[in-house]
Amino acid sequence: PAVRRGNVVIGLVLLVLMGGRCFAPPYSSHVGTTRKSPGRARVSLRATQKDAIQEAAAELTKASYPFMQQVDWGNDLYWTVPGADPIRWARAIGKIIDHGAAMDMELVKAGCMAHHDGIKELSATNAVGACSAEKLTDIYATIGRMIASVPESKTMDVYNAVTALVDKRVPAYLMSSVNEADAKAAYSALIKFTEVVKANPITPSTAPSTVSSDKSKAIEAAADKLASTSYDFIQGIDWSDELYGKTLPGRTAGQTLKAVDSMIMMGAKMDGAALKEAAKAHVTAIENMDAKGVLTQEDYKATLAGIGKTVASVDSESVMNVYDEMAKLVGTTGLPGCVFQRQQGNAFGAYRGLMEFKDTVRDCQPKKVISDAAAELAKASYPFMKQVDWNSDLYWTVPGADPIKWARAIAKIIDMGAAMDMELVKAGCMAHHDGIKELSSTNAVGACSAEKLTDIYATIGRMIASVPESKTMDVYNAVTALVDKRVPAYLMSSVNEADAKAAYSALIKFTEVVKANPITPSTAPSTVSSDKSKAIEAAADKLASASYDFIQGIDWSDELYGKTLPGRTAGQTLKAVDSMIVMGAKMDGAALKEAAKAHVTAIENMDAKGVLTQEDYKATLAGIGKTVASVDRESVMNVYDEMAKLVGTTGLPGCVFQRQQGNAFEAYRGLMEFKDTVRDCQPKKVISDAAAELAKASYPFMKQVDWNSDLYWTVPGADPIKWARAIAKIIDMGAAMDMELVKAGCMAHHTAIQDVEYKSDLVCSEARLAETYATIGRMIASVPESKTLDVYAAVSELVDDKVPKYLMSTGSIREQDAKAAYEALMKFTTVVKANPITACNLPTSISSEGASSISVAADKLASASYPFIKGIDWTDMLYGKTVPGKSVKEALKAVDSMIVMGAKMEGAALKEAGVAHVKAIESMDAKGVLTQEDYKATLAGIGKMVASVDRDSVMKVFDDTSKLVADTGMPQYLFSKQNPSDAMNAYNSFMDFKDIVREEQPGSSRDPDGSTVFLFVGALVAFLATFAVAH
C-alpha cells in the first residue's frame, strides 16, 4: 500500500511539477494492461484523435480538479527542486529537453498558449492556484498531444530520470496535505488519459527555419566570440551550489509565475527549427558536462548559438518583456551580486562579450520592416516611376493575344486575393484611391507623390505577407508564362536603364522583407444575413437560367477583351477604376472571399472558348450579388455612372450585342429582376433620403445661426464634472456603434469642414449637410435606442430650460424656419429608429505583442504621472471655455485634423479606449480624478488607438493643436498650478510612452519630436471628437 500510494503521488507530482507531462508510474491495477504492438504505424493527427485526447483531457480535469484545488500552489514546495544535487537534476532536465526537442513544434506552441491562458486567468485575480476547469482541460489536451507526438521511449526516459531523484519520503509527505481519495481518483484518471494518448500517436511535422543562413552564420560567429571571452567566467561558477535549487528570496509564487509566463509567450513565438537546434545543443552539452556541471567550450558555444537563433526568431518587444519581468524578479534580491562575488573568472570580459553577442542577435530579429522597406523601395524606384509614360496604351493593354489564357492567370490572382486578410485588402484599396485622388487633382496620369507611393507599396506588402508564398508564386508563374520575352527589353529601352535596375534591386529586397515577415490573416463573419443570401442565391439561379444562352453566344476569345477602350484616355479609365476600388473597399470581406472563390472555380472549369458551366455561372452571380448587397446604393451607382461615361458612347455595347447569338433581351430582363433583388438586400437608402429632406428643411435655419459665436463652442452650465459624466454617455454610445459607420461619419464631417474653409458663415453646402446627416443617422441606427436616450437624458439635464428660448431670440433666426427644422428632425429620428443597422465587429489588427508593450508602457506612465494628474483641478471653469484669442475657424481646423486621425483609427482599438474611458468617468471622484487603475486603462486605450494610425496623421494633430494653444498662455497656466517635480516626472514618462506607441505605428515620413505633451491631449480630443461626432 505504501508503494502504491507513493506511486500515486509521484505520478501526480510529476504531472504538475514537470510541466504537466503524463509520467504514469506502474500502479498495481494497471500492471497487466495489454500493450499494443510496438510496430504499429504512427499516423497523422486527425479530428478523431484530437477529439479522443480532448475528451480524455476533459475526463481527467473532472476527476483531478478536486485534488488540484486542494494543493497549496503558493507553497515553496512546488517551486523547489526536490533533492540537493543540481548536477543530477541538470542531467534529468537534459532528458526533459530531449523529450521536448522530439515533439511537434506547432503542438508545443499550442501548449505554451494554453498554459499562458491559464496563467492569465490567475493573473486577473492575483491568485496562484488552480485555473478554471475549462483552462485546465485545454492544458491537459495540449500536453497530451505534445506527448503523443514523441516516441514512448523518450517519455519513459524522463519519467525514470525524475523518479530516481525524488526522495522516497516525498510522496507520503505530500499526500498528507490533500484528501487521499481525491488524489487516487486523479491518478486513476491520469492512467486512463495516458492510455488514450498512447493509443493516438501523432506524427510530428517539421518546417524549415525562418532564420536565414546569413543570420545563422552571423550568430554562430558571435557565439564563438562570446564563448571565448566568457568561458573563464563560466568555469569559475560553482554550478553545484544549492542556490540553483532554491526559490528566489522575498518573491511570491505569483511574481515568479508572471516572469515564467513571459518566457512561455516568447517561446510560443520562436522558430520551431531553431528551438529544436537549441534543445539538441543543450542535451549534448549536459551529457558531456563534467562532475561540477561545467560544459566543454565547444558545447557551450553551440548552446549560445542555439539560444541566439531562437531569440533572433522573435520580435524584440517579446524579448524585452522577458528581460523586464526577470529584472523585476531578481533585481533587488541580491542574487546577481551574490553570483558575481562567488565566481572566479573575468566577469567584465564576459559582460562585454555578451553585449556584442546581444547586438548581433538583435540585428537578426524581425523588424517592423514592411513599412520601412516600402519607403526604401519608393525612394529607389521613384526616378524610374516618373520616367514611365503611364498614358501609353502599353500599360493598359494585356500583353499577348489569348484572353482565355489570361483569364486562367487572372484566376490565380483572384485566388491569391481571396486568401488575403480582407482588412489589409481594404487598406490597400484606400491607399490606391488616395494615390489616384492625388493625380485627379492635377488631371494627370503618372506617378503619385513618393509619400503616396510608399503607402501603396506598404499595403501591397502587407497583403502579400498575409498569404502563403505558394499562392504568390502561382501568380508569378502564371503571368510570366504569358508575357513575351521581348517585352522587358522593349520597355527598358524607354527609360533610364540604371534607374530601372535600381528599382528592380530595391523590389527584390522588398520581396525578401515581405517574405520574412508573414502576417496571419484574420477572418470576420459575413454581414449579409442568411435570409438575404438565400434571396440572392434564388435570384442568381433565375438569372443564370435566363441568361445562359446569351453568355454561351459571346465569343470570349475575341481580342476585343485585351484592348483599351477606343477614344478614352488613361485618366478617364483610371477614374472609373477608382470608383470600383472605393466600392470594393466598402464590401463585406466574407462576401468578397465567397465571390472570389466562385470565380476561381468557374475559370478552372470553363471550356476552351471561355464559357463557364451553368452551375459555376450561377455561383459567380450569387457571389457578385452578395458583395454588391453589402454596400450602399450610392457607391454602386457611382460605379455605374462612371462606367456609363467610359463606355456609353464608344460603340462597345452595340458591338457586343451584334456579335452574340443568344437571347439578349431575355438576359436583360433577368438582370433587371436580379438587380431589384440585390437592391432590396442593400443597406436601405431611406436614411439617406430622410437626411436629404432634413437638410432641405433645416438649411434656412442653419444659415441663420451665427456659428462664429462662442455660444456654440462653450459648454452650457458651469460644472465640468457633470459634463464629463454626460460625455461618458456619448462615448458609451459611440463605442457601441458600427466603427465603419463612425469612420464614414468622420469623413463626412471632414468634407463639410473643408467646404466651409473659405466661407465666413461656416455653413457647408446643402449636399454636404445631407451627407453629414445621413452618416449620423446610420451611426445612431447601429446602436440600441436605450444608449441614444441615455445621451439625450444626460445632456438635457444639464442644459438650462431658458437656453433654447434664448438661442431662438438671437441673431436673425426666424422662428418659422427653426420649427420647420425641428419637425424635419423629428421625422428623421423616426426613420432612423425604424431602420436599425446591425453593428459589425472586427478583430484588432494590433498584435498581441504590440498591445502588451503599450499596456506595460501605460502602466509605467500611469505610475509616474498619477501625482501630476491628481494635482490638476478638473473642476476649473477653464475646461468649459473656448481657447482665448482664437477664432472658431482656427479651432475648427484643429478639430478637423483630429476627426481625420480618428477616421483612420482601428475600430477595435477605438472601442477598447471608449469602454475604458466610460468606466473611468463612472468611477472618478467628486473632483474628477480617476482611479490609478482606470487612468492606466485609458492610457493603454489611447496608446493603441494612436498606434493604429500613421505618424503623419498624429503629427498633423500635434501641429494644429500646437498652433491653436501654444501662444495662448494656457500651457504655462496649467503648469503654474502643478508641482514642478510631478510635472517633469509625468513629462519624462510620457516621452517613454510616446516612444513605445510610435514603434507600433505604421511607418511614415515624419517622426514626432516629442517637444510637448500636446500629442497626448490631441489623441484624447481626437478620440472624443470621433465618438461625439453624432452628438
Side-chain angles (χ1 to χ4, degrees):
V3 173
R4 180 181 302 175
R5 185 160 66 173
N7 283 341
V8 170
V9 178
I10 288 175
L12 295 172
V13 169
L14 289 173
L15 170 65
V16 294
L17 282 184
M18 308 311 297
R21 292 169 176 78
C22 305
F23 307 111
Y27 186 57
S28 60
S29 62
H30 294 280
V31 170
T33 300
T34 303
R35 298 182 64 178
K36 299 196 177 187
S37 168
R40 180 169 55 87
R42 295 173 67 80
V43 295
S44 297
L45 178 62
R46 298 189 181 93
T48 53
Q49 290 174 296
K50 286 199 290 186
D51 289 344
I53 292 176
Q54 188 76 33
E55 289 169 5
E59 289 298 318
L60 176 57
T61 298
K62 184 177 179 182
S64 67
Y65 204 61
F67 162 77
M68 296 293 278
Q69 288 182 304
Q70 293 164 29
V71 176
D72 179 12
W73 296 106
N75 192 313
D76 273 0
L77 282 171
Y78 302 100
W79 295 85
T80 308
V81 177
D85 190 338
I87 305 303
R88 291 176 68 192
W89 269 104
R91 296 193 189 281
I93 289 170
K95 297 296 182 183
I96 297 173
I97 296 173
D98 186 48
H99 188 227
M103 290 176 176
D104 182 293
M105 285 296 113
E106 292 307 306
L107 296 179
V108 170
K109 292 180 180 183
C112 287
M113 294 312 297
H115 280 79
H116 166 66
D117 289 342
I119 294 171
K120 188 167 64 173
E121 187 179 65
L122 293 175
S123 300
T125 58
N126 294 314
V128 173
C131 57
S132 67
E134 180 186 3
K135 299 297 185 189
L136 188 60
T137 296
D138 289 341
I139 291 171
Y140 284 159
T142 55
I143 290 172
R145 295 187 190 108
M146 287 192 288
I147 294 175
S149 71
V150 296
E152 185 184 358
S153 60
K154 289 191 180 288
T155 306
M156 292 312 298
D157 284 346
V158 172
Y159 171 76
N160 293 330
V162 174
T163 303
L165 295 175
V166 178
D167 191 291
K168 299 295 188 288
R169 295 168 293 179
V170 170
Y173 175 75
L174 294 178
M175 181 72 87
S176 68
S177 65
V178 295
N179 182 295
E180 186 172 343
D182 289 334
K184 287 182 176 178
Y187 179 80
S188 295
L190 174 62
I191 295 301
K192 290 180 182 177
F193 181 68
T194 61
E195 290 169 351
V196 171
V197 171
K198 184 177 174 181
N200 290 276
I202 297 170
T203 302
S205 61
T206 57
S209 178
T210 58
V211 182
S212 69
S213 60
D214 288 343
K215 289 181 179 179
S216 291
K217 289 175 183 176
I219 292 169
E220 287 164 5
D224 192 3
K225 193 172 181 181
L226 174 57
S228 299
T229 57
S230 63
Y231 192 62
D232 178 51
F233 172 80
I234 293 296
Q235 286 178 303
I237 297 176
D238 181 8
W239 297 104
S240 63
D241 194 315
E242 61 178 8
L243 174 75
Y244 302 108
K246 292 184 176 181
T247 56
L248 286 164
R251 294 294 183 260
T252 66
Q255 290 171 311
T256 304
L257 194 61
K258 189 176 180 185
V260 170
D261 184 46
S262 68
M263 299 179 208
I264 289 173
M265 284 297 292
M266 181 173 75
K269 297 175 182 178
M270 286 178 169
D271 175 77
L275 270 174
K276 282 183 180 283
E277 179 184 337
K280 290 176 181 178
H282 278 76
V283 171
T284 300
I286 292 171
E287 288 174 348
N288 296 338
M289 70 183 181
D290 64 19
K292 293 183 179 179
V294 178
L295 311 183
T296 69
Q297 186 169 337
E298 195 62 28
D299 286 339
Y300 175 50
K301 179 180 77 176
T303 60
L304 290 175
I307 292 170
K309 292 174 191 177
T310 58
V311 174
S313 69
V314 295
D315 58 281
S316 57
E317 289 86 349
S318 296
V319 178
M320 287 309 299
N321 188 39
V322 172
Y323 174 85
D324 291 341
E325 292 299 336
M326 289 302 297
K328 292 176 191 174
L329 193 65
V330 304
T332 60
T333 61
L335 188 62
C338 174
V339 172
F340 182 80
Q341 289 171 358
R342 292 187 181 189
Q343 72 84 36
Q344 307 296 319
N346 187 344
F348 295 105
Y351 180 77
R352 282 194 297 271
L354 176 62
M355 291 301 98
E356 290 182 23
F357 180 69
K358 176 264 295 180
D359 289 340
T360 299
V361 172
R362 184 187 58 198
D363 290 341
C364 294
Q365 283 182 301
K367 308 290 192 305
K368 291 180 176 63
V369 288
I370 292 181
S371 293
D372 293 338
E376 289 296 319
L377 175 56
K379 183 179 179 181
S381 66
Y382 202 62
F384 162 76
M385 296 294 279
K386 293 185 76 171
Q387 292 165 29
V388 175
D389 179 12
W390 296 107
N391 287 287
S392 171
D393 275 359
L394 282 172
Y395 303 101
W396 295 85
T397 308
V398 177
D402 190 336
I404 305 302
K405 286 183 179 178
W406 270 104
R408 296 194 188 282
I410 289 170
K412 297 295 184 184
I413 298 173
I414 296 172
D415 186 48
M416 180 182 175
M420 289 176 175
D421 182 294
M422 284 296 114
E423 291 308 303
L424 295 179
V425 171
K426 292 181 180 184
C429 286
M430 294 314 295
H432 280 78
H433 167 63
D434 289 342
I436 294 170
K437 189 166 62 174
E438 187 179 64
L439 294 175
S440 300
S441 64
T442 59
N443 294 314
V445 173
C448 57
S449 67
E451 179 187 2
K452 298 297 185 189
L453 188 61
T454 297
D455 289 341
I456 291 171
Y457 284 159
T459 56
I460 290 173
R462 294 187 194 107
M463 287 191 288
I464 294 174
S466 72
V467 296
E469 183 185 0
S470 59
K471 290 191 181 288
T472 306
M473 292 310 299
D474 284 346
V475 171
Y476 175 79
N477 293 330
V479 174
T480 302
L482 296 175
V483 178
D484 191 291
K485 299 296 186 290
R486 295 167 294 180
V487 169
Y490 175 75
L491 294 177
M492 180 76 85
S493 67
S494 64
V495 295
N496 181 293
E497 186 173 346
D499 290 334
K501 287 183 175 179
Y504 179 78
S505 296
L507 175 61
I508 296 302
K509 288 181 182 178
F510 181 67
T511 62
E512 290 168 352
V513 170
V514 170
K515 182 179 176 181
N517 292 275
I519 296 172
T520 303
S522 62
T523 56
S526 177
T527 58
V528 182
S529 69
S530 58
D531 288 344
K532 289 180 178 178
S533 290
K534 289 175 184 176
I536 291 169
E537 286 164 5
D541 192 3
K542 193 172 181 182
L543 173 56
S545 298
S547 62
Y548 193 62
D549 181 47
F550 171 78
I551 292 296
Q552 285 179 302
I554 297 176
D555 181 8
W556 297 102
S557 63
D558 196 315
E559 61 178 8
L560 175 74
Y561 303 107
K563 292 184 176 180
T564 56
L565 287 165
R568 294 293 183 261
T569 65
Q572 290 171 310
T573 304
L574 194 60
K575 189 177 180 185
V577 169
D578 184 47
S579 67
M580 299 179 208
I581 289 173
V582 172
M583 181 174 75
K586 295 180 180 180
M587 286 178 169
D588 175 77
L592 270 173
K593 281 183 180 282
E594 179 185 337
K597 290 177 181 177
H599 278 77
V600 171
T601 301
I603 293 171
E604 288 174 349
N605 295 337
M606 69 183 182
D607 64 21
K609 293 182 178 179
V611 178
L612 312 182
T613 68
Q614 187 168 338
E615 195 62 27
D616 285 340
Y617 174 50
K618 180 180 77 175
T620 61
L621 291 174
I624 292 170
K626 292 174 191 177
T627 58
V628 174
S630 69
V631 295
D632 59 282
R633 299 179 195 175
E634 290 87 347
S635 296
V636 179
M637 287 310 298
N638 188 39
V639 172
Y640 176 84
D641 291 340
E642 291 298 335
M643 289 302 296
K645 293 175 190 173
L646 192 66
V647 304
T649 59
T650 60
L652 188 62
C655 175
V656 173
F657 182 81
Q658 290 171 358
R659 292 187 182 190
Q660 73 84 35
Q661 307 295 320
N663 190 336
F665 295 106
E666 188 65 26
Y668 180 78
R669 280 195 294 271
L671 176 62
M672 290 301 99
E673 290 182 23
F674 180 69
K675 177 264 296 179
D676 290 342
T677 298
V678 172
R679 184 187 60 198
D680 290 341
C681 294
Q682 283 181 299
K684 302 298 181 187
K685 198 187 171 186
V686 286
I687 292 178
S688 294
D689 291 341
E693 290 296 319
L694 174 58
K696 183 178 180 180
S698 66
Y699 202 64
F701 164 77
M702 297 293 279
K703 294 279 286 183
Q704 293 162 25
V705 174
D706 179 12
W707 295 107
N708 285 287
S709 170
D710 276 356
L711 283 171
Y712 302 101
W713 294 85
T714 308
V715 178
D719 190 336
I721 304 302
K722 286 183 179 179
W723 270 103
R725 297 192 188 282
I727 288 170
K729 297 296 183 183
I730 297 172
I731 296 173
D732 186 48
M733 180 182 176
M737 289 176 174
D738 183 293
M739 285 296 112
E740 294 307 306
L741 296 179
V742 171
K743 292 180 181 184
C746 287
M747 293 315 294
H749 280 77
H750 165 63
T751 304
I753 292 171
Q754 285 184 317
D755 195 38
V756 303
E757 185 173 359
Y758 301 107
K759 294 181 178 180
S760 59
D761 63 1
L762 297 181
V763 180
C764 61
S765 67
E766 186 177 323
R768 296 297 184 204
L769 186 62
E771 186 180 352
T772 303
Y773 284 158
T775 57
I776 291 173
R778 294 189 195 105
M779 287 192 287
I780 295 175
S782 72
V783 296
E785 184 184 3
S786 59
K787 290 192 181 288
T788 307
L789 290 174
D790 284 345
V791 171
Y792 175 79
V795 174
S796 297
E797 184 181 342
L798 296 175
V799 177
D800 192 292
D801 292 338
K802 294 173 284 186
V803 169
K805 291 181 180 178
Y806 173 75
L807 293 177
M808 183 76 81
S809 66
T810 60
S812 57
I813 294 176
R814 295 177 59 218
E815 186 173 348
Q816 182 180 352
D817 291 332
K819 287 183 176 179
Y822 180 79
E823 288 173 4
L825 175 61
M826 290 301 99
K827 289 181 182 178
F828 181 66
T829 59
T830 302
V831 170
V832 170
K833 183 178 176 180
N835 290 275
I837 296 171
T838 302
C840 175
N841 293 310
L842 294 171
T844 183
S845 62
I846 299 174
S847 69
S848 58
E849 299 90 344
S852 177
S853 296
I854 292 171
S855 295
V856 170
D859 194 0
K860 291 180 181 177
L861 174 56
S863 298
S865 62
Y866 195 61
F868 170 78
I869 292 297
K870 287 198 292 185
I872 297 175
D873 180 10
W874 297 102
T875 63
D876 195 315
M877 291 180 64
L878 174 76
Y879 303 107
K881 293 183 176 180
T882 57
V883 179
K886 299 301 181 188
S887 69
V888 170
K889 190 167 285 189
E890 287 174 304
L892 196 60
K893 186 177 180 182
V895 170
D896 184 45
S897 64
M898 299 175 201
I899 289 174
V900 172
M901 181 173 77
K904 295 180 179 179
M905 286 177 172
E906 188 204 57
L910 273 171
K911 281 184 181 283
E912 179 183 339
V915 172
H917 278 76
V918 171
K919 182 178 180 298
I921 294 172
E922 289 174 348
S923 303
M924 70 184 182
D925 64 19
K927 294 182 178 180
V929 178
L930 312 183
T931 68
Q932 187 169 336
E933 195 62 27
D934 285 338
Y935 174 50
K936 179 179 75 175
T938 60
L939 290 175
I942 291 171
K944 292 172 191 175
M945 290 191 307
V946 174
S948 70
V949 296
D950 59 280
R951 299 179 194 175
D952 289 341
S953 296
V954 178
M955 284 308 299
K956 182 72 166 59
V957 172
F958 173 83
D959 292 341
D960 287 342
T961 307
S962 295
K963 291 174 188 174
L964 190 66
V965 303
D967 60 350
T968 62
M970 280 178 62
Q972 293 80 2
Y973 171 77
L974 292 173
F975 186 82
S976 69
K977 293 198 165 193
Q978 300 303 309
N979 180 304
S981 176
D982 289 342
M984 288 309 301
N985 287 337
Y987 175 80
N988 291 332
S989 185
F990 175 72
M991 289 299 99
D992 292 338
F993 180 67
K994 177 265 297 179
D995 289 340
I996 295 295
V997 172
R998 184 185 61 197
E999 286 302 313
E1000 299 301 329
Q1001 284 181 300
S1004 71
S1005 59
R1006 293 180 63 192
D1007 194 27
D1009 61 12
S1011 59
T1012 130
V1013 296
F1014 290 142
L1015 173 59
F1016 175 87
V1017 178
L1020 176 58
V1021 179
F1023 164 73
L1024 293 174
T1026 301
F1027 272 146
V1029 94
H1031 174 66

